[in-house]
Amino acid sequence: MDWPPIKKSPSSWRLQPNLIDYQQTCADFSWDKVRQELDGLPDGRGLNIAHEAVDRHAAGAGQSQVALRWLGKDGQVKDFTYGDLKAQSNRFANVLKTLGVGKGERVFSLSGRIPELYFAALGTLKNISVFCPLFSAFGPEPIAQRLERGDARVLVTTERLYRKKVSALRSSLPKLQYILLADIDQDQDASVLSLPRLLAAASAEFTIPPTDPEDMALLHFTSGTTGKPKGAVHVHNAVLTHYLTGKYVLDLHPGDIFWCTADCGWVTGTSYGIIAPLTHGVTNLVDEADFDAERWCRTLEEQQVNVWYTAPTAIRMMMRSGLKLREKFDLSRLRLVHSVGEPLNPEAVSWGQENLGLPIHDNWWQTETGGIMIANYAALEIRPGSMGRPLPGIEAAIVHRLAEGKIELEEQADCEGDLALRVGWPSMFRGYLHDDERYRNCFVGDWYITGDLAQRDADGYFWFIGRADDIIKTSGHMVGPFEVESVLMEHPAVAEVGVIGKPEPLIGELVKAFVALKPEFEASEELRLELLGFARKKLGSAVAPKEIAFIDNLPKTRSGKIMRRLLKARELGLPEGDISTLEQSQ
Ligand code: ATP
Ligand code: MG
């Protein structure tokens, strides 16, 4: 099915969007102008993310505005104003200072979404130490590996997580000097300390030291979808991208309630679960609980969320749950819905229209890019299945790699190639930790080669084809798994699909789909044949899957990405490789 574009008109706007004239905004753009919309540290002492996110609001009328609304698992609600957040992050910065932890040193976190995590993140940035969040459901090995590779000096965690996942491996981590436990009142020994005690003893005043915009601020490990996770280094200047995308993509307005559902263990949970909304002085909602379709809808309603940033996997789970959203919940406050992390099937975009009353806006970026690079915008037409257009200030292109480390820019529309970004945007990663060669190999001349394949249409919309590693070569065709998955998703029985190429001597690779069914459908030979026929009719026999297997759940990363490499390894009986980010139940 060809999905018609979703047009927007001023009459459909609930609030005038920040970005209306895309061409003009791109033409007038300069990063210097964005910098002028921010504060900078007093007396020209540089640029610090935490100052832009918190202190500049706390210094003015924003002081009593709620910065963080925290929803506990058990129904507790805690509000922290910008003034509170300033004081708490100052305290945390003073704790680090007292412990002798300084510039560039790594402060890791390993916890659920508890308020202390947010104080620690912002306090670490204030101290110009480097914040590195880990996902709390990791097992001991992946945690130890990351702490080791990231040169962790401090770890902020909880007693249970420490005991269960870290303490046994402490001896292999000689650089890890302090463990700050968020839920004990008394220190356990000279290195395992009570964070509440330290915070209470610390001053709520802190002067952020001079911060060079190029000072290292964040260390994020990638999702490990395609292999061993890499540690991407980001600097304070990244806040320009966080702010700008908050303005143009998330379309934040004063008074907004914003909810990003990503965990801080992933880059989305930091760039958009902490920094971007705060740079706009809005209220950032944090839910401690994990996904639950009913709870999430209730949260959207009760918390009167205006802008919601989530992921395709959550949207697909909501689709699977069969909840009649608009009949059951009042979602009238919701103005804009965004999704990131994986391709968003057109089916999901239109599900949003029917069930949320709003289309879902897809956007694309990576751990390496530090912020959203390609997006659909509130005021502009959506083409379902497209990631949208580059953020003003970002130059994206389709390129072809040539021999001798050269590339050729693709000028024609609708041609497939490597998605590349012209270097120089503020949140570009500045390195892969301890892997310079790999970092260098990502660049050719002025271009960063993303590792994803895409095409651009005549109007400048980008369409995701697949990760370079996942592309299937079958009978001389290049097939992107997303195209095949999106078509199967249109079948009423299908909840989720992962598509791989399976080596086959005659045709190179054979397209194989793994299908998870909606709960009301049962796997049967009849249904398998029906799906094969359904796909063949829509895709043609060259591209349609030749094999379909039913599977209860697809293997996914903990950030919700389908791990096609694992489907393939299992299919072929090959080693599974690094599975540190695999969801436990898989
Ligand atoms: P690793 O690099 O360790 O294999 P990863 O690439 O999944 O893991 P992330 O940086 O979290 O780690 O994910 C970025 C990737 O996610 C992108 O390169 C792209 O492949 C995919 N992605 C993100 N957003 C979108 C989107 N809107 N459409 C399609 N793909 C997307
Ligand atoms: Mg990647």
Side-chain angles (χ1 to χ4, degrees), residues 254-271:
D256 271 345
I257 314 274
F258 171 75
W259 184 22
C260 167
T261 59
D263 187 82
C264 292
W266 311 109
V267 69
T268 309
T270 306
S271 293

Side-chain angles (χ1 to χ4, degrees), residues 406-532:
K406 295 213 167 64
I407 52 163
E408 176 185 61
L409 290 189
E410 176 61 69
E411 306 288 349
Q412 298 281 324
D414 303 325
C415 288
E416 227 169 273
D418 282 286
L419 174 62
L421 303 169
R422 193 188 281 280
V423 299
W425 73 97
S427 64
M428 189 181 90
F429 68 137
R430 300 298 197 269
Y432 282 133
L433 200 71
H434 305 315
D435 202 347
D436 289 343
E437 191 183 339
R438 181 161 204 161
Y439 182 67
R440 273 198 307 277
N441 287 341
C442 295
F443 298 89
V444 178
D446 272 355
W447 293 89
Y448 162 61
I449 316 294
T450 64
D452 286 343
L453 302 185
Q455 59 187 44
R456 186 191 49 225
D457 70 19
D459 301 313
Y461 280 76
F462 281 76
W463 299 74
F464 183 80
I465 306 285
R467 293 161 181 272
D469 292 2
D470 289 339
I471 293 297
I472 304 162
K473 294 168 201 91
T474 181
S475 307
H477 301 279
M478 303 277 275
V479 178
F482 175 48
E483 185 187 1
V484 181
E485 289 163 8
S486 286
V487 160
L488 283 167
M489 283 292 291
E490 288 174 26
H491 190 282
V494 175
E496 266 191 325
V497 201
V499 166
I500 61 159
K502 182 175 157 187
E504 210 277 345
L506 222 56
I507 53 171
E509 281 182 306
L510 164 161
V511 179
K512 173 154 189 173
F514 293 85
V515 170
L517 295 172
K518 290 191 183 146
E520 63 273 29
F521 289 87
E522 252 187 54
S524 67
E525 185 55 16
E526 202 184 340
L527 183 54
R528 205 178 61 81
L529 292 174
E530 185 182 318
L531 289 173
L532 284 169

